[in-house]
Amino acid sequence: MAVADQDTAVRTGLVTRVFIYGILLVFAAFYLLPLFVMLTNSLKPLPEITGGNMMALPDTWTFEPWRQAWSSAQIGVEPTGLKPYFMNSILMVVPAVAISTMIGALNGYVLTKWSFRGDKIIFGLLLFSCFIPFQIVLIPMASVLGKLGMAGSIPGLVLVHVVYGIGFSTLYYRNYYAVFPTELVRAAMIDGAGFFRIFWRILLPVSGPITVVCVIWQFTNIWNDFLFGASFGGQTQPMTVALNNLVQSSTGVKEYNVHFAGAILAALPTLLVYIVAGRYFVRGLMAGSVKG
């Protein structure tokens, strides 16, 4: 009887696993279908697409749409492709992510290990900033950038994203450092270590998981942002704005294969970030979820 029950349990477990994996495969296929359509059509000549065969593999494989999207597609008044706008995004994202992450780490360190009167109020205000809609800050931010002489420039976009990202980065590091033993900080203070020495030598070396979380979050948000780039970019617009201008062009033939290639190029950096460091994202979030 025990052997029969065990066999039944094994068969039931196998059927359950097959059902679960089958459902997951269906959802994965449904989720990846747009990427498949974009990728296959970006490798087709335009006549194959206009012939109504978007779901089929290319009869003639070509990388010409990718070359055009990168270097010669008509964006605005110049046939520059996405290349200069890609560089604008890189010049905007890298310093914005680095600065907002470092400020968030320092804020989290101060709010957890150097308590002072009103620290909870300050943290609450920083947390509140995470829930302010982008649209509300457009006019005040435009006024500030104009007075600073940074409107329509990459440093202006960097400033906008740093200001808007400090709340999130502070939240991540504050919760992460809240579970770090305060006794180690006090022992370092007794040994004569100062504010920055404790931060650089004790807290920062163990901040790898939450730093990955913060970098992925900030990189994704800043790279994919359209509203700030369209509002404050001027002549230094980022990749997302250029892609919109490419797709929304109202002159000439709609080159769907070039549009698909451009969309993949715009999404490629965030995909690479998640592929390389995505497994650390949940791990870092869980590391700071015990307390705080």
Side-chain angles (χ1 to χ4, degrees):
M1 179 65 68
V3 175
D5 291 341
Q6 185 176 4
D7 292 340
T8 302
V10 171
R11 287 196 298 271
T12 303
L14 179 61
V15 172
T16 302
R17 286 197 300 272
V18 170
F19 176 76
I20 292 174
Y21 283 118
I23 294 296
L24 291 176
L25 287 174
V26 170
F27 279 104
F30 181 78
Y31 183 79
L32 293 173
L33 183 61
L35 179 61
F36 171 79
V37 172
M38 291 171 60
L39 184 60
T40 54
N41 285 280
S42 70
L43 299 171
K44 293 178 183 178
L46 187 59
E48 285 191 35
I49 300 176
T50 56
N53 207 14
M54 295 186 68
M55 297 295 295
L57 292 174
D59 293 331
T60 304
W61 296 76
T62 176
F63 286 95
E64 181 62 19
W66 288 74
R67 187 196 66 78
Q68 293 182 30
W70 179 250
S71 61
S72 63
Q74 188 76 29
I75 300 176
V77 296
E78 297 292 337
T80 60
L82 294 173
K83 181 178 179 180
Y85 302 94
F86 183 88
M87 296 308 300
N88 288 343
S89 290
I90 293 293
L91 294 174
M92 174 187 68
V93 168
V94 173
V97 170
I99 295 172
S100 61
T101 300
M102 182 56 64
I103 294 176
L106 284 169
N107 287 345
Y109 167 51
V110 171
L111 291 171
T112 54
K113 306 307 176 189
W114 296 79
S115 298
F116 55 92
R117 180 178 297 180
D119 58 345
K120 290 182 171 54
I121 295 176
I122 293 178
F123 176 65
L125 293 174
L126 287 169
L127 186 61
F128 177 73
S129 69
C130 299
F131 303 98
I132 298 177
F134 286 7
Q135 294 82 355
I136 292 179
V137 301
L138 287 181
I139 295 178
M141 190 64 72
S143 176
V144 171
L145 292 178
K147 292 178 180 178
L148 294 175
M150 302 174 67
S153 66
I154 290 179
L157 288 174
V158 171
L159 176 62
V160 170
H161 288 294
V162 167
V163 170
Y164 212 87
I166 287 176
F168 290 101
S169 58
T170 300
L171 172 64
Y172 294 145
Y173 280 97
R174 186 263 180 190
N175 287 350
Y176 188 81
Y177 289 154
V179 302
F180 188 84
T182 305
E183 289 76 12
L184 293 178
V185 176
R186 292 174 180 168
M189 294 173 62
I190 293 173
D191 290 339
F195 177 87
F196 286 104
R197 187 174 182 84
I198 295 173
F199 177 70
W200 286 105
R201 300 298 295 271
I202 298 178
L203 269 78
L204 201 59
V206 299
S207 303
I210 202 63
T211 300
V212 171
V213 171
C214 189
V215 168
I216 291 177
W217 176 268
Q218 286 292 89
F219 184 92
T220 303
N221 281 346
I222 297 173
W223 185 274
N224 291 334
D225 172 68
F226 175 81
L227 183 60
F228 288 156
S231 301
F232 308 127
Q235 300 301 315
T236 57
Q237 294 175 339
M239 188 80 159
T240 50
V241 179
L243 178 63
N244 177 74
N245 295 339
L246 171 64
V247 174
Q248 297 297 331
S249 176
S250 58
T251 59
V253 179
K254 289 287 187 180
E255 296 180 311
Y256 297 107
N257 50 356
V258 177
H259 298 172
F260 285 133
I264 296 175
L265 286 172
L268 198 57
T270 51
L271 289 175
L272 290 177
V273 167
Y274 272 103
I275 290 172
V276 172
R279 62 177 177 172
Y280 301 106
F281 187 78
V282 176
R283 186 185 306 174
L285 284 177
M286 295 300 294
S289 64
V290 179
K291 178 183 177 183

